[in-house]
């Protein structure tokens, strides 16, 4: 049986089923292993996690601890409350009108960030006059129709993850900030910081940055240094705002003080740093890497909600979920009818009932594509699915 226990209950003889943190937040070779010594216990506690999942069939038990199913049920109840917390509909252009423009913008943004990172490695300074117009166009696109731009955040190549992650975080942060109804000029600065939040990785050696395996302790320390490097680079960039600097310098801080580089806690972290932490983790854990398979978006949102008991501002996590949807646009879902569908657009009044495109049956064959607004259908979503597991190309079924 899988159970959720407080970290204080961890002891030798237990079997860890899940470290219960983002895969980039630790450098253990595995996420599941037997706890053999007090040294193992100390190393796990040093991660800063407050709760972990144990497998009682392979190790010691904690009688009063809730099961994984009980813990998941509690999270799902909160998700359902978020889904029906109706937001005022925002007037937008149709997804179809924005799609082509968003795709071109996404490609251009990836190219610009890639070139910028190359320039930084050569010792050149960031030219904000090249970044500002790009960011403004991203903000414009999100304001017009976020369901066109957000699905592109999931499309990444292994070799260009660093660049594409920066663009994805920028897109997600812009949508997040809009949901919070922040002023447009503030949203622009948040987006600038999000696009530049990982520039310090240009100072990390390629053999560490692109290593197709878990990092050693020394390599992990070097990787974590990218946050300080980002701050140094941006502090030397003429015209950079404090808001943008906060996003980059604080996106690895944690609400409970377990983050880095400064172990800031609670309101010591700016609003923008708190937002950046949530978005950075979400995009990282939903992305495929050479040695790690990304989590389904809905499952990642459940994890963020679970971790918000300690690591993130709970109110902001709930706002982020409202920004992207319980079943984010571009994700693959399973319907009660056993059909698979790709989410095409959100219905703000009920995030459990998005507009989907039905494309496949779980018996193993393609269907004639059909767009279904689940508000007006007897069918409903019963789970999320993985594109690779069904050999479905996600790029083919993005909103169009």
């Amino acid at each position: 049986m899988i159970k959720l226990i407080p970290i204080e209950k961890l002891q030798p003889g237990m079997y860890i089923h899940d470290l219960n943190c983002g895969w980039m937040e630790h450098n253990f070779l595995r996420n599941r292993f037997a706890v053999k010594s007090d040294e193992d216990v100390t190393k796990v506690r040093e991660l800063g996690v407050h709760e972990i999942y144990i497998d009682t069939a392979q190790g010691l038990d904690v009688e009063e601890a809730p099961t994984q199913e009980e813990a998941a049920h509690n999270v799902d109840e909160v998700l359902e409350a978020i889904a029906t917390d109706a937001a005022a509909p925002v007037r937008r252009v149709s997804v179809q009108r924005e799609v082509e423009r968003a795709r071109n913008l996404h490609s251009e943004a990836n190219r610009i960030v890639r070139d910028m990172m190359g320039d930084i490695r050569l010792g050149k300074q960031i030219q904000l006059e090249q970044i500002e117009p790009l960011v403004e166009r991203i903000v414009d696109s999100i304001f017009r129709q976020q369901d066109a731009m957000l699905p592109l955040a999931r499309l990444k190549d292994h070799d260009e993850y660093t660049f594409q992650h920066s663009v994805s975080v920028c897109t997600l942060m812009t949508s997040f900030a809009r949901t919070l109804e922040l002023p447009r000029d503030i949203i622009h600065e948040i987006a600038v910081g999000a696009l530049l939040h990982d520039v310090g990785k240009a100072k990390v050696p390629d053999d560490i940055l692109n290593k197709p395996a878990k990092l050693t302790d020394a390599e992990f320390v070097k990787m974590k240094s990218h946050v300080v490097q980002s701050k140094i680079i941006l502090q030397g960039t003429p015209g950079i705002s404090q808001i943008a600097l906060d996003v980059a310098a604080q996106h690895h801080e944690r609400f409970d003080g377990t983050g880095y580089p400064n172990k800031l806690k609670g309101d010591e972290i700016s609003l923008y740093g708190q937002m950046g932490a949530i978005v950075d983790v979400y995009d990282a854990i939903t992305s495929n890497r050479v040695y790690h398979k990304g989590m389904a978006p809905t499952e990642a949102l459940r994890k963020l909600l679970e971790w918000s008991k300690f690591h993130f501002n709970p109110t902001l996590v709930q706002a982020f979920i409202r920004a992207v949807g319980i079943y984010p646009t571009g994700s693959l879902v399973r319907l009660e009818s056993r059909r698979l569908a790709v989410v095409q657009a959100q219905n703000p009044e009920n995030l459990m009932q998005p507009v989907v495109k039905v494309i496949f049956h779980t018996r193993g064959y393609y269907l004639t594509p059909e767009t279904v607004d689940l508000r007006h259908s007897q069918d409903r979503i019963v789970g999320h699915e993985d594109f690779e597991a069904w050999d479905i190309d996600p790029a083919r079924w993005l909103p169009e």
Side-chain angles (χ1 to χ4, degrees):
M1 182 182 296
I2 309 302
K3 288 187 172 183
L4 181 65
I5 67 166
I7 192 66
E8 294 79 14
K9 297 284 187 180
L10 184 66
Q11 59 178 297
M14 290 183 172
Y15 188 91
I16 294 177
H17 175 78
D18 184 353
L19 286 167
N20 205 27
C21 64
W23 62 274
M24 292 186 70
E25 302 296 316
H26 70 83
N27 62 331
F28 284 92
L29 291 176
R30 300 175 183 84
N31 204 36
R32 301 177 181 180
F33 54 90
V35 180
K36 299 179 179 179
S37 65
D38 289 334
E39 183 181 357
D40 288 344
V41 173
T42 299
K43 287 184 67 175
V44 174
R45 288 180 176 175
E46 286 175 349
L47 294 177
V49 297
H50 294 265
E51 297 177 324
I52 59 169
Y53 288 94
I54 61 169
D55 186 345
T56 62
Q58 301 190 63
L60 298 177
D61 192 2
V62 176
E63 290 293 337
E64 70 275 14
T67 66
Q68 185 177 36
E69 290 75 17
E70 290 169 338
H73 177 72
N74 293 335
V75 171
D76 285 343
E77 284 187 335
V78 178
L79 277 178
E80 289 182 16
I82 294 171
T84 54
D85 182 13
V90 177
R91 181 170 293 181
R92 298 168 173 160
V93 303
S94 68
V95 177
Q96 291 75 15
R97 286 181 59 186
E98 187 62 24
V99 162
E100 191 60 34
R101 183 160 40 190
R103 287 177 176 170
N104 292 336
L105 178 56
H106 185 260
S107 296
E108 181 184 354
N110 284 323
R111 177 184 57 78
I112 288 175
V113 173
R114 181 177 61 246
D115 293 346
M116 178 189 67
M117 295 286 275
D119 288 344
I120 293 172
R121 288 185 174 182
L122 295 174
K124 297 181 181 179
Q125 194 174 59
I126 295 173
Q127 303 297 319
L128 272 187
E129 59 268 22
Q130 296 178 358
I131 299 298
E132 296 275 6
L134 170 68
V135 167
E136 190 61 19
R137 289 166 59 200
I138 291 174
V139 174
D140 282 342
S141 180
I142 292 295
F143 268 66
R144 283 192 299 265
Q145 178 50 267
Q146 71 174 31
D147 285 326
M149 192 79 174
L150 286 184
L152 301 173
R154 297 203 65 215
L155 301 181
K156 297 184 182 73
D157 297 323
H158 296 309
D159 296 338
E160 298 199 338
Y161 170 80
T162 299
F163 319 128
Q164 294 169 342
H165 171 66
S166 295
V167 176
S168 297
V169 168
C170 178
T171 303
L172 290 161
M173 281 284 276
T174 302
S175 178
F176 190 5
R178 194 184 186 202
T179 297
L180 293 174
E181 298 182 341
L182 298 178
R184 172 73 183 242
D185 59 332
I186 299 295
I187 293 176
H188 177 91
E189 296 304 330
I190 289 172
V192 170
L195 192 70
L196 302 178
H197 80 288
D198 268 350
V199 292
K201 287 185 177 177
K203 302 295 185 180
V204 177
D206 276 342
D207 59 341
I208 294 178
L209 200 61
N210 301 316
K211 185 178 179 180
K214 273 294 182 183
L215 301 177
T216 65
D217 289 347
E219 290 169 339
F220 196 53
V221 169
K222 185 68 175 178
M223 176 66 84
K224 290 167 69 173
S225 74
H226 81 272
V227 181
V228 173
Q229 292 296 329
S230 292
K231 183 176 181 179
I232 292 171
I233 292 168
L234 293 182
Q235 284 177 326
T237 301
I240 200 74
S241 70
Q242 186 61 47
I243 291 172
L245 192 59
D246 284 348
V247 173
Q250 298 177 354
H251 73 277
H252 278 289
E253 301 289 355
R254 295 293 179 260
F255 210 58
D256 58 358
T258 61
Y260 63 89
N262 296 316
K263 294 192 177 297
L264 301 179
K265 186 175 183 179
D267 291 339
E268 293 175 349
I269 312 169
S270 71
L271 168 65
Y272 319 114
Q274 292 177 35
M275 293 169 63
I278 293 167
V279 173
D280 182 71
V281 167
Y282 172 79
D283 190 67
I285 65 178
T286 55
S287 298
N288 290 328
R289 301 298 300 275
V290 174
Y291 59 96
H292 173 84
K293 184 172 180 55
M295 195 178 292
T298 303
E299 185 58 32
L301 294 174
R302 287 192 176 99
K303 279 296 181 185
L304 285 177
L305 199 55
E306 184 178 342
W307 295 338
S308 71
K309 289 186 292 184
F310 306 105
H311 296 311
F312 307 114
N313 183 321
T315 301
L316 288 181
V317 168
Q318 293 186 29
F320 177 68
I321 292 171
R322 285 193 290 272
V324 298
I326 305 295
Y327 300 100
T329 306
S331 57
L332 185 67
V333 295
R334 184 175 72 259
L335 303 180
E336 193 172 41
S337 61
R338 296 185 62 190
R339 298 180 298 173
L340 303 186
V342 179
V343 179
Q344 302 289 294
Q346 300 296 319
N347 284 317
E349 59 271 23
N350 191 332
L351 298 177
M352 291 289 191
Q353 299 175 324
V355 177
V356 302
K357 178 171 286 187
V358 177
I359 61 169
F360 200 81
H361 198 283
T362 55
R363 289 175 180 167
Y365 56 86
Y366 277 97
L367 302 168
T368 301
E370 175 190 1
T371 300
V372 179
D373 187 335
L374 292 178
R375 290 175 301 178
H376 312 304
S377 171
Q378 293 185 335
D379 218 343
R380 65 185 183 95
I381 296 174
V382 294
H384 54 257
E385 290 289 338
D386 178 69
F387 282 101
E388 288 186 10
W390 294 97
D391 195 24
I392 296 173
D393 178 9
R396 180 184 174 190
W397 302 106
L398 290 176
E400 59 185 25

